[in-house]
Amino acid sequence: MTNTTFTPRVFSGIKPSGGLQLGNYLGAIKRFVGMQGQMETVYCVVDMHAITVWQDPAELANATREVAAGYLAAGLDPTQSILFNQSQVSAHAELGWIFNCVARVGWMNRMTQFKDKAGENAEKHSLGLYAYPALMAADILLYHATHVPVGEDQKQHVELTRDIAKKFNHDYKVDFFPETTPVIDGPATRVMNLRDGTKKMSKSGESDMERINMTDDADKIAKKFKKAKSDAEPLPETVEGLADRPEARNLIDIYAALNDVTPADVVAEYAGAQWGKFKPALADLAVAKLAPISGEMARLMADPAEIDRILGDGSARAREIAEPILRKTYDIVGMLRS
Ligand code: AMP
Ligand code: TRP
């Protein structure tokens, strides 16, 4: 087998299922912005993934625009990055089918996210929810992406992507798909729920107080941080002092990520402080960083035609990369073209 070198290229995506929350921003979007300009960057709004669970058609298009508005408001520049929505590039679904035939049922059965989401009632969930990691592999490999920035919860799916690439290359005796590296770095790859530091912050928690939505106004952001669960101890002197203090750890990680410093820097600055001092400082920092983004999102959402134009343009550019790779895949597999 030859040793092809692949041009560095970033791919990542976010599902338009409900609004964006702080975990999406710190664990994904902010890091997407950091990689822009360093190599070619392709960022997708993965609407085909969203419908693995029921989405109201009237809301799906709007949720797709809202994720795109979040990308733009946070600093992704459509002239520097390709920004598009998945369903406008049909090659995703086509390569997804090929990968359904490469991935093994045993591999899918090990995906912890499916087990967590489907729980006891797996039989009532869609086949799409079960198969979706193979579609995610197609999203990534359709661009021969070498780097995939994601939150910690997606690590297993990027590892599956590597397994699919390896098995495809092995079965067809080619060196066609790269082994993608997951990029999971910085202090906020797993932002936790503000009411329970052992649960991940997500779009779909029971109470709105558990999460910061990217559309929350300054008053709401401040209120949620001031009411966030902490513990009875003051802030520790060192990060080691955060062990077994999940809520404290989370608030310090959020502060560090928002301010582009390390948790050790935050602990050094606030050593021994009471929560009554730290939480208002965190709330002020969060408002200073997030309010301009939510303001810009609202401005962009007032002109949906412009967002649609950007996504349409990005889709055309995405197709230019994806279609030749799909055609080559079909040739490798032996699909007849006449
Ligand atoms: P999703 O909203 O599930 O489509 O997730 C989109 C991206 O945001 C993925 O890279 C996730 O890993 C990341 N993400 C979602 N929630 C969190 C969280 N609580 N902490 C860190 N990253 C997250
Ligand atoms: N599965 C990811 C999530 O739920 C979203 C996603 C779909 C993705 N395709 C992707 C992330 C490709 C990175 C690369 O968060």
Side-chain angles (χ1 to χ4, degrees), residues 115-136:
K115 288 186 213 167
D116 293 347
K117 279 199 180 177
E120 302 285 288
N121 252 335
E123 302 205 346
K124 291 212 164 64
H125 284 77
S126 74
L127 181 55
L129 186 67
Y130 181 68
Y132 113 109
L135 179 61
M136 176 165 163

Side-chain angles (χ1 to χ4, degrees), residues 220-328:
K220 256 204 178 141
I221 295 173
K223 184 170 155 216
K224 286 178 179 178
F225 276 117
K226 285 180 190 154
K227 297 214 161 179
K229 187 174 171 202
S230 52
D231 57 24
E233 304 292 317
L235 272 75
E237 309 278 329
T238 63
V239 277
E240 287 73 38
L242 291 169
D244 306 321
R245 296 179 65 184
E247 284 83 14
R249 164 106 243 174
N250 188 40
L251 295 177
I252 285 166
D253 284 348
I254 292 173
Y255 190 104
L258 284 169
N259 216 19
D260 293 310
V261 297
T262 65
D265 295 330
V266 181
V267 167
E269 188 180 345
Y270 287 95
Q274 300 295 331
W275 291 107
K277 177 177 171 200
F278 182 75
K279 282 194 200 169
L282 172 59
D284 287 349
L285 173 67
V287 169
K289 299 284 181 177
L290 302 177
I293 300 175
S294 64
E296 181 61 8
M297 279 177 72
R299 193 190 68 76
L300 290 162
M301 286 298 282
D303 187 1
E306 175 61 8
I307 298 180
D308 295 2
R309 191 195 61 73
I310 290 170
L311 293 176
D313 176 62
S315 300
R317 287 162 62 209
R319 280 194 291 269
E320 279 174 29
I321 303 174
E323 282 173 0
I325 292 179
L326 180 70
R327 269 200 301 278
K328 184 78 209 291

Side-chain angles (χ1 to χ4, degrees), residues 18 62 90 101 138 146 177 231 233:
N62 219 41
S90 60
C101 302
T146 52
F177 288 116
D231 57 24
E233 304 292 317

Side-chain angles (χ1 to χ4, degrees), residues 11-15 46 49 86 113 117 132 135-136 139-140 148-150 153-154 157-158:
F11 183 95
S12 198
I14 296 184
K15 293 192 295 282
V46 288
H49 284 274
Q86 188 185 23
Q113 194 176 65
K117 279 199 180 177
Y132 113 109
L135 179 61
M136 176 165 163
D139 300 338
I140 295 166
V148 176
V150 279
D153 62 324
Q154 295 301 315
H157 294 156
V158 184

